[in-house]
Amino acid sequence: MTGGLASTIISTALVWYFFIPPQLSWSVQNPNHLFSVALFIVMGGFFSLTFAMLKKANRLAEEALSAAETSNLQLEESNKKISALYEKTKEIDKLKTQFFANVSHELRTPLALILGPISKWLKNDDFKDQTRSELEIVERNARLLHRQVNDLLDVAKLEAGRMTMRYAQTDLAYQVRVIASHFAVMADERSIDFSVEADSVVSVQIDIEKFHRITLNLLSNAFKFTPDHGAIRVSLKQLGDQAVIMVQDTGRGVPEDKRQIIFESFRQVDGATNRQYGGTGLGLSIVKEFVSLHRGVVTVDDAPGGGALFTVTLPTKAPSDKEVLTEEAPVILHDNCLQLIEELRTIKVPELEYVTPQTATQPTVLVVEDNPDMNSFIGSILQPHFRVISAFNGNDGLQAAMESHLDLIISDIMMPGMSGDTMVEIIRSHTELDNIPIILLTAKADDDLQIKMLK
């Protein structure tokens, strides 16, 4: 721009002096000559400005092209990193699945070797009541672990795509009634209004064992969250080429923002240390995966009278390329059914229990543990030497600490109602209880929690 204007002014001066009459003079005889000089200057300035703008535009275009090339290189590099991370994630997921499968397989053998001899011993009538009681505790918890290991193995198979389907022709209404009948006694014990409404016959082609797992998990979930004197309804009907099973309860229901994640593996609505119910978070995940294997759908909504309503929709016919057993398949109920019901019976939290001391001079120990078997086991170890008070949640533990003269408190962390860490904080806020030593006996491995409790 500057050079263009300078050259325009110099050129104008040369033309004026040498070519406009009179030559070699700055005087002008004709006024039109001044107009020509002015137009020459304007056109020169215009061309200078245009050239400057074009040069700037070229520079900006070069910079943009260079930036685009750099951006493309960065994008390509980012894509490479994303691809590498994706492959790494797939590899980690594969390793995790393989790990679950390997661990599950490795655990099943020792568990079988534990359950086998214990079952054999329990058939012997020579054991004392105390020994038999302890063996029953071992058997009950070994079966619990065995079921959880089987769940892990199923999840590993599902994620690896190795779960096979074995279709058979059966009457789904009969299957549902038989499975539900195992929960009738527990419903009576808890005064739960439990009913099954089903069409007389619903002929389907399904994997019967997987359908049992679906139904058992949904029923156990309903009984777990339904309070005493509540109601549970199971209904089954055939709609065209689909069978629809609905399980509804009068429990607390599932929040709308949690209705998708509850079907994810290891996810639970309540994961806090004071959660009311335990579990691995695999039950509903297995339900969803087994329903999907049947090419069906499972959903959860609000029940009409409050609580949760789970709806499973399954096709009545197997895929055309699958083999179907034509003979009526029998009901296959595994030990998992009885184990599941036994676990549900232990969910009901016992009341605060004061054990009579052997002597009045024995020190008093408060055991706060929500698992009845663990509470009983700890108490049995302490009772020969101490007066034991058993509490099964943080609220009862706090009540016992306030009402009794204690020499020691042994407490779990993860308990319903009030967690152990909250109970300890409240106890330490009372100066009259500040000198009671506390032992936290917990399976929760958490360094942050450990530091918090030590403080």
Side-chain angles (χ1 to χ4, degrees):
M1 178 79 179
T2 305
L5 290 176
S7 63
T8 297
I9 293 172
I10 294 173
S11 299
T12 302
L14 291 173
V15 168
W16 188 345
Y17 188 75
F18 288 101
F19 296 102
I20 294 178
Q23 285 86 354
L24 303 177
S25 171
W26 296 106
S27 63
V28 178
Q29 295 176 351
N30 188 346
N32 290 332
H33 292 164
L34 289 178
F35 175 76
S36 299
V37 169
L39 182 61
F40 192 87
I41 292 175
V42 170
M43 292 300 295
F46 176 74
F47 286 129
S48 298
L49 176 63
T50 302
F51 181 79
M53 294 176 66
L54 180 62
K55 186 176 181 181
K56 181 179 180 181
N58 288 335
R59 178 174 55 80
L60 292 176
E62 290 175 359
E63 290 177 355
L65 183 61
S66 176
E69 290 176 354
T70 303
S71 178
N72 286 336
L73 290 174
Q74 292 176 343
L75 182 60
E76 185 177 350
E77 186 67 24
S78 298
N79 286 336
K80 288 181 180 179
K81 290 181 179 179
I82 291 172
S83 298
L85 286 172
Y86 175 68
E87 293 299 324
K88 188 68 175 177
T89 302
K90 285 175 61 178
E91 181 184 356
I92 291 173
D93 190 59
K94 184 178 179 181
L95 289 173
K96 179 204 70 175
T97 301
Q98 188 62 41
F99 170 76
F100 280 149
N102 292 341
V103 168
S104 300
H105 277 297
E106 293 299 322
L107 288 176
R108 291 176 86 181
T109 298
L111 281 171
L113 293 173
I114 292 171
L115 287 168
I118 289 176
S119 298
K120 181 180 177 181
W121 291 341
L122 286 173
K123 294 177 182 178
N124 190 339
D125 296 330
D126 297 335
F127 287 117
K128 296 179 180 179
D129 291 342
Q130 178 66 24
T131 303
R132 178 172 294 279
S133 176
E134 291 178 354
L135 285 174
E136 288 173 349
I137 290 176
V138 174
E139 183 189 42
R140 185 162 55 249
N141 286 275
R143 289 193 183 280
L144 169 61
L145 183 57
H146 190 265
R147 186 175 68 80
Q148 292 175 344
V149 166
N150 285 339
D151 284 348
L152 278 175
L153 187 58
D154 285 340
V155 169
K157 287 181 179 179
L158 288 165
E159 291 186 351
R162 297 181 195 155
M163 187 68 74
T164 58
M165 297 290 287
R166 297 178 178 87
Y167 286 93
Q169 187 78 34
T170 188
D171 177 11
L172 203 62
Y174 174 67
Q175 300 283 355
V176 169
R177 289 190 185 98
V178 173
I179 295 172
S181 66
H182 287 75
F183 291 84
V185 174
M186 184 169 57
D188 290 339
E189 292 173 352
R190 296 175 52 189
S191 300
I192 291 177
D193 182 10
F194 180 47
S195 63
V196 178
E197 301 171 1
D199 293 346
S200 56
V201 176
V202 179
S203 182
V204 296
Q205 296 170 348
I206 59 170
D207 186 315
I208 298 178
E209 183 176 356
K210 290 180 178 58
F211 176 74
H212 288 167
R213 293 284 297 281
I214 293 170
T215 309
L216 283 173
N217 284 356
L218 289 178
L219 281 174
S220 67
N221 198 69
F223 274 91
K224 180 187 292 187
F225 293 103
T226 300
D228 293 352
H229 308 287
I232 296 174
R233 297 279 185 275
V234 180
S235 66
L236 168 65
K237 55 186 176 181
Q238 184 170 349
L239 299 176
D241 59 353
Q242 292 182 325
V244 180
I245 306 102
M246 292 187 289
V247 178
Q248 68 180 71
D249 59 60
T250 55
R252 63 185 184 183
V254 181
E256 190 169 352
D257 60 337
K258 305 288 186 182
R259 291 177 185 174
Q260 292 300 320
I261 67 171
I262 61 171
F263 293 108
E264 298 175 7
S265 297
F266 310 107
R267 294 293 292 269
Q268 294 176 307
V269 174
D270 185 5
T273 56
N274 64 338
R275 62 180 182 174
Q276 184 71 30
Y277 306 104
T280 58
L282 292 176
L284 290 178
S285 171
I286 290 174
V287 167
K288 181 179 182 297
E289 294 297 336
F290 281 5
V291 170
S292 296
L293 286 175
H294 282 90
R295 298 170 298 119
V297 178
V298 58
T299 60
V300 59
D301 297 289
D302 290 327
L309 169 61
F310 286 86
T311 303
V312 175
T313 305
L314 300 176
T316 57
K317 299 294 183 182
S320 57
D321 59 338
K322 297 293 184 181
E323 180 185 359
V324 179
L325 297 176
T326 55
E327 296 182 2
E328 178 71 17
V331 176
I332 308 170
L333 289 178
H334 299 286
D335 292 338
N336 278 346
C337 181
L338 299 177
Q339 172 69 25
L340 212 54
I341 294 172
E342 186 63 29
E343 290 173 31
L344 290 170
R345 283 197 172 102
T346 63
I347 285 178
K348 186 174 175 61
V349 178
E351 296 180 355
L352 187 64
E353 179 183 350
Y354 292 87
V355 178
T356 305
Q358 294 180 356
T359 65
T361 59
Q362 286 179 319
T364 302
V365 178
L366 169 64
V367 177
V368 191
E369 165 64 61
D370 63 314
N371 185 295
D373 283 344
M374 180 61 74
N375 198 312
S376 175
F377 178 67
I378 297 172
S380 67
I381 296 174
L382 297 173
Q383 279 176 13
H385 313 286
F386 303 94
R387 176 177 181 254
V388 178
I389 301 174
S390 295
F392 297 88
N393 57 58
N395 290 315
D396 286 350
L398 181 61
Q399 176 188 338
M402 301 292 290
E403 296 176 353
S404 308
H405 178 72
L406 301 176
D407 296 284
L408 175 67
I409 297 174
I410 298 177
S411 177
D412 188 14
I413 291 289
M414 299 182 69
M415 294 184 294
M418 180 187 293
S419 62
D421 52 332
T422 302
M423 181 194 72
V424 171
E425 288 183 16
I426 296 176
I427 288 175
R428 285 296 183 242
S429 67
H430 292 267
T431 55
E432 67 274 18
L433 304 177
D434 195 42
N435 291 326
I436 302 175
I438 299 175
I439 296 175
L440 293 176
L441 184 63
T442 176
K444 185 175 175 61
D446 187 332
D447 290 341
D448 292 337
L449 178 65
Q450 199 172 41
I451 292 171
K452 173 186 173 183
M453 299 314 300
L454 286 171
K455 287 181 178 180

